[in-house]
Amino acid sequence: PSFLRQGAALQERIANPFFGLIQIGALSGSTVARQQLLRPFPQFTSVQMIRPNIGNSTYHSLQAKVERRFSQGFAILSSYTLSKLIDDVNQTAPVQDNYNLKLERSIAEFDRTHRLVSTVVWELPFGLSKRFLNQRGFVDKVLGGWQLSNIFQIQSGKPLALTATPTTTLFGGGLRPNNTGVSAAKEGRVQDRLNSFFDTSVFSVPAPFTFGQTARVLSDVREPRLNLVDFSVIKNTSIREQLKVQFRAEFFNLLNHPIFNAPAVTVGTATLGRVTSTFGAPRQVQLALKIVF
């Protein structure tokens, strides 16, 4: 990093000491950029470590579960997690300063502050051995054996990791933007801020030959949260003792909520802050018939 003080001189072309020794590639010419010769291994254009044993993480959470089975075939199960994950290990954007990995410490890119999953199962009280219409024959075949269930999920979005368009080559290092110190978070429905999901004005591209001072991951700006409801209707019918039929109707994303992808996160581009796509599927209906014998 101290070499960055040389500024534009790093990009000057000087005599290549490897000329004639290296026959192909970027280092085969008679001149080479000064910055290339200042690298730890100047005879290579890139050196990679595969799965290096580096990085630290800290995870804390509160986990709670409520389970209750009522009479008449009604049951509920809910699980909630409140958590925080901090690390200095990159997941998507490359390290900015490989000589100071402490600056990489931030909220983790896959942190989820809140996660709630709840399911309800209800065997309808109609038909043989049930509270209402406890009859054999046609009544039980038509009105008995019905079961309703749902799964509800709500989850915090992942925090955003911003990058900046490099103004100079940093040899494999990433570049993060500068910020004014003001939170970029915005309130309101995602649909109302698809073109400006967060306040992009607080970020800027660093000056040439400098590093940005924004955290590796923003703790206060997160991608849209997950809000999903799945629902199913099941009908079990006993034809005779050794033959049963099960019909299932399953509705995935029952309410047809759009699940938006994260906005663009590269400072210095025209699309910064825009949400342009969704992931997952819209409402899907699946029908199934199973014969058990």
Side-chain angles (χ1 to χ4, degrees):
S2 61
F3 292 146
L4 293 176
R5 299 169 188 165
Q6 299 182 29
L10 292 172
Q11 298 173 325
E12 292 178 355
R13 306 293 297 185
I14 59 176
N16 181 10
F18 305 114
F19 180 61
L21 300 176
I22 298 178
Q23 303 294 326
I24 61 174
L27 299 181
S28 61
S30 60
T31 62
V32 66
R34 185 189 305 274
Q35 56 188 356
Q36 174 65 34
L37 301 183
L38 296 175
R39 303 181 72 175
F41 302 96
Q43 69 273 34
F44 298 109
T45 56
S46 66
V47 176
Q48 293 182 327
M49 292 187 296
I50 304 301
R51 298 180 180 177
N53 186 23
I54 59 174
N56 299 276
S57 64
T58 302
Y59 177 76
H60 294 99
S61 70
L62 177 147
Q63 301 178 31
K65 182 175 74 171
V66 176
E67 183 176 10
R68 177 66 188 273
R69 297 180 182 275
F70 298 88
S71 60
Q72 303 300 323
F74 186 81
I76 184 171
L77 172 63
S78 295
S79 299
Y80 171 71
T81 301
L82 171 66
S83 64
K84 186 174 185 178
L85 176 59
I86 297 174
D87 67 12
D88 55 10
V89 182
N90 172 63
Q91 298 297 319
T92 56
V95 172
Q96 180 172 243
D97 183 355
N98 285 283
Y99 291 87
N100 191 353
L101 296 181
K102 291 182 178 180
L103 294 180
E104 299 300 301
R105 181 176 173 84
S106 70
I107 198 78
E109 291 181 54
F110 48 93
D111 174 76
R112 295 288 199 279
T113 305
H114 303 281
R115 176 167 172 80
L116 173 67
V117 180
S118 182
T119 181
V120 175
V121 178
W122 184 26
E123 296 179 5
L124 298 184
F126 306 112
L128 186 64
S129 302
K130 299 297 183 180
R131 183 176 181 182
F132 302 107
L133 302 175
N134 185 5
Q135 302 177 31
R136 295 180 181 275
F138 179 79
V139 172
D140 181 57
K141 293 293 190 292
V142 176
L143 300 179
W146 288 96
Q147 176 182 295
L148 307 179
S149 65
N150 86 294
I151 299 177
F152 168 72
Q153 300 181 66
I154 186 168
Q155 176 178 275
S156 300
K158 294 190 300 183
L160 300 184
L162 269 59
T163 60
T165 303
T167 53
T168 185
T169 302
L170 296 178
F171 286 132
L175 183 64
R176 299 198 285 268
N178 287 330
N179 67 73
T180 62
V182 177
S183 174
K186 285 185 175 182
E187 300 294 334
R189 299 192 317 152
V190 178
Q191 293 89 329
D192 296 332
R193 44 194 180 100
L194 294 178
N195 290 324
S196 182
F197 184 76
F198 58 90
D199 186 359
T200 60
S201 66
V202 304
F203 301 104
S204 60
V205 177
F209 308 103
T210 63
F211 292 126
Q213 32 82 317
T214 298
R216 178 174 60 91
V217 181
L218 303 177
S219 61
D220 58 336
V221 183
R222 294 174 177 263
E223 67 181 30
R225 69 183 183 184
L226 175 68
N227 186 357
L228 196 60
V229 177
D230 298 329
F231 182 76
S232 69
V233 179
I234 300 175
K235 174 69 167 72
N236 293 303
T237 304
S238 178
I239 305 301
R240 56 177 183 266
E241 184 177 356
Q242 299 298 326
L243 181 61
K244 296 181 180 180
V245 176
Q246 183 185 80
F247 169 74
R248 304 175 66 95
E250 297 171 309
F251 304 84
F252 302 98
N253 194 4
L254 175 67
L255 303 180
N256 204 30
H257 282 157
I259 306 174
F260 293 101
N261 273 318
V265 293
T266 303
V267 177
T269 63
T271 59
L272 176 65
R274 294 183 181 179
V275 178
T276 58
S277 62
T278 61
F279 74 93
R283 182 192 298 116
Q284 292 183 335
V285 180
Q286 176 175 287
L287 304 178
L289 186 68
K290 181 167 68 174
I291 299 176
V292 182
F293 59 93

